[in-house]
């Protein structure tokens, strides 16, 4: 809680800083813990339902704990037709989880998204924001090894 309080104080407990405060908490913990939302609501003087609305509206925020490395695989049309589903299957097989899940060791979270804005590089995935394009199923294991 002390780290959360430090972040809130850094922004002068200003209600207008709700989004930057939540962004910094998200960055620090990789998700928004429930007690953080309570503290933000109380200290910024923003109703809890409003804090929740913002926290659930933006994709950048998560209310669930995530792994150290968040993998996002694009399933948009341009990537889908270039084998993105097989990329997801390979990641599920190698990590031992299904999409939407986090590995038991909290190392990886696997997500699918609709477009990563790099359609020409499809199929594309990101790991903590780093792009990997022109993916092939047989390259996935080597990429994952860099993070294990
Ligand atoms: S459809 Fe995959 S990056 Fe746009």
């Amino acid at each position: 809680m002390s780290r959360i309080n430090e972040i809130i104080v850094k922004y002068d407990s200003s209600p207008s800083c709700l989004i930057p405060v939540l962004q910094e908490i998200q960055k620090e913990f990789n998700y928004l813990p429930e007690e953080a939302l309570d503290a933000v609501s109380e200290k910024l003087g923003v109703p809890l339902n409003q804090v929740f609305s913002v926290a659930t509206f933006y994709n950048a925020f998560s209310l669930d704990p995530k792994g150290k490395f968040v993998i996002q695989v694009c399933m948009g049309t341009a990537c889908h037709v270039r084998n993105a589903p097989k990329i997801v299957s390979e990641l599920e097989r190698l990590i031992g989880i299904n999409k939407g899940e986090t590995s038991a060791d909290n190392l990886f979270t696997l997500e699918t998204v609709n477009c990563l804005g790099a359609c020409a590089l499809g199929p594309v995935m990101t790991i903590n924001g780093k792009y990997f394009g022109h993916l092939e199923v047989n390259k996935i294991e080597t990429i994952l090894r860099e993070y294990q």
Side-chain angles (χ1 to χ4, degrees):
M1 275 306 285
S2 65
R3 183 65 192 117
I4 291 167
N5 287 331
E6 278 173 26
I7 293 168
I8 292 169
V9 167
K10 181 177 154 188
Y11 288 92
D12 290 332
S13 304
S14 169
S16 63
C17 291
L18 174 60
I19 289 177
V21 166
L22 293 179
Q23 283 173 323
E24 197 155 334
I25 294 170
Q26 169 79 40
K27 193 173 170 196
E28 179 84 18
F29 297 95
N30 245 355
Y31 81 112
L32 299 174
E34 200 176 324
E35 59 269 29
L37 298 183
D38 289 337
V40 167
S41 169
E42 189 189 321
K43 303 249 165 71
L44 268 57
V46 176
L48 190 56
N49 64 355
Q50 198 178 323
V51 176
F52 264 102
S53 295
V54 170
T56 53
F57 181 78
Y58 293 100
N59 283 341
F61 297 132
S62 172
L63 299 180
D64 298 315
K66 292 197 180 192
K68 184 176 177 191
F69 301 113
V70 178
I71 303 171
Q72 293 190 320
V73 183
C74 178
M75 293 292 273
T77 307
C79 291
H80 197 279
V81 298
R82 296 184 193 136
N83 264 343
K86 287 192 175 154
I87 301 294
V88 173
S89 298
E90 181 67 354
L91 285 161
E92 289 176 330
R93 187 185 74 78
L94 290 168
I95 303 171
I97 58 174
N98 294 315
K99 65 182 176 186
E101 294 179 348
T102 296
S103 58
D105 60 3
N106 284 323
L107 195 59
F108 293 112
T109 295
L110 178 59
E111 300 176 339
T112 56
V113 295
N114 288 328
C115 185
L116 286 166
C119 312
L121 299 178
V124 181
M125 72 175 181
T126 59
I127 301 181
N128 284 6
K130 181 179 175 185
Y131 278 75
F132 296 87
H134 302 300
L135 287 172
E136 292 171 27
V137 169
N138 62 8
K139 289 182 182 169
I140 300 298
E141 191 166 3
T142 308
I143 294 170
L144 279 188
R145 253 195 239 122
E146 291 175 34
Y147 294 87
Q148 285 168 322

